[in-house]
Amino acid sequence: APVPASLDQITAAWLTTTLQEWGVIGQQSRIFGVHSERLAARAGVNGQTFRLRLKYAGPAGPETVIAKLPAEQPAARGVAAFQHWYEREARFYLELAPDSPLRVPEPFFAAAEGDRILLLLEDLGRLRQVDQLSGCTLAEAEAAVDGIAEMHARWWGDEVLSDHPWLPLTTVGLHHAAPVHNAFRRAWGAIRAGVDAGAHDRLDRAVEAYPALLERISAGPLTVLHGDYRLDNLFFDGSEGQPGVVAFDWQFACRGRGPYDLAYFIGLNLTPALRRQHEEALILRYYERLREAGVSGYPLDACHRDYATS
């Protein structure tokens, strides 16, 4: 059957057939009721997210699943199609997630066609999330660092990545460096007057350095990057003192240097005080986890350089 293009096309009959074909429910199971609720807290500009509550006749399967659909706005869908965000996420779940040591939601169905996508994922709403604006604890930061280091180590320098051409170099694609650079220039020019003058010189240089930074991130050793590794895209499984991490929202999956994800997480998710106190220790923790997982020939000073230029 065609991939549903909207929520109302995800019918009980379609779900029954699809989840049977994907081995999620048995041939004796039948879904006869579907109740949907929009997850407003998970609504982003790139998609819509719903929790589907399922009623069964015969042996039951999962009581709830998470459905992820394209954005409602045509402009947002167009950008997503241009950057292949929907395709990247679907292919990650289909092709790479089974081998990822970093836990992700179990995919019950995944398909993307142009600007259309449908993901049916394990509902992890029972797990804990942390407010990104408030920042995380040191224990949560350490769990996030451990998780991403283990994933990076799995594909570190692995030539098999060339078998996945849908994974671009950097989140925007190295081949898109020029147009994205021009977009940054225009955006910065539009808001520059409203930004404290003391920051102008640094931000001027940052905007102009953008293509060179993409080149740096794209140089080997390469691994699989999450690309948007932050608290809004993480669940924590376990207590605050001993958390484990689960990562979702893989639209920005790409290839690049591992410390990009590390710098992205530390820069966006730690309070300034916590970062100043523990940044160096977290970088060293990441590096040690890589070594423990078998990454060799990558000196600590290179890890520091990659972190600083991400």
Side-chain angles (χ1 to χ4, degrees), residues 135-152:
C136 60
T137 66
L138 177 60
E140 290 159 350
E142 289 173 341
V145 168
D146 290 350
I148 201 64
E150 290 170 4
M151 193 193 81
H152 289 166

Side-chain angles (χ1 to χ4, degrees), residues 275-291:
R275 179 181 58 79
R276 282 192 293 268
Q277 186 177 1
H278 298 288
E279 182 175 30
E280 181 58 36
L282 289 171
I283 297 172
L284 182 59
R285 186 183 185 97
Y286 171 82
Y287 180 76
E288 290 175 343
R289 293 297 177 272
L290 290 179
R291 289 176 58 86

Side-chain angles (χ1 to χ4, degrees), residues 28 165 174 254:
Q28 303 304 314
L174 186 59
C254 62

Side-chain angles (χ1 to χ4, degrees), residues 78-256:
V79 173
F82 174 72
Q83 286 284 358
H84 299 280
W85 289 336
Y86 298 152
E87 178 189 4
R88 284 195 239 174
E89 185 164 35
R91 285 183 173 271
F92 172 82
Y93 279 113
L94 293 171
E95 300 177 21
L96 297 179
D99 294 326
S100 174
L102 173 61
R103 186 180 167 195
V104 304
E106 181 181 355
F108 299 144
F109 174 81
E113 298 174 352
D115 66 348
R116 295 169 58 182
I117 182 177
L118 177 60
L119 300 178
L120 299 179
L121 302 173
E122 175 188 7
D123 186 355
L124 297 176
R126 67 188 183 279
L127 302 183
R128 182 170 54 87
Q129 278 200 285
V130 178
D131 182 0
Q132 183 173 324
L133 296 180
S134 300
C136 60
T137 66
L138 177 60
E140 290 159 350
E142 289 173 341
V145 168
D146 290 350
I148 201 64
E150 290 170 4
M151 193 193 81
H152 289 166
R154 166 62 184 83
W155 285 288
W156 192 274
D158 195 332
E159 294 184 359
V160 76
L161 293 183
S162 62
D163 296 334
H164 303 278
W166 51 271
L167 276 173
L169 289 167
T170 78
T171 58
V172 301
L174 186 59
H175 56 297
H176 289 151
V180 176
H181 184 209
N182 290 333
F184 278 167
R185 277 176 168 167
R186 292 193 299 272
W188 172 230
I191 67 170
R192 192 175 189 273
V195 175
D196 187 292
H200 284 185
D201 180 63
R202 178 172 295 183
L203 290 173
D204 288 342
R205 287 185 285 114
V207 169
E208 292 311 310
Y210 182 74
L213 291 175
L214 291 189
E215 292 279 357
R216 171 71 183 175
I217 296 166
S218 300
L222 299 177
T223 186
V224 175
L225 300 181
H226 181 282
D228 196 16
Y229 197 65
R230 54 193 175 91
L231 290 172
D232 280 356
N233 293 330
L234 300 178
F235 285 110
F236 289 94
D237 186 2
S239 67
E240 293 189 21
Q242 294 182 318
V245 68
V246 185
F248 59 98
D249 199 346
W250 291 86
Q251 291 184 351
F252 287 7
C254 62
R255 291 173 294 153

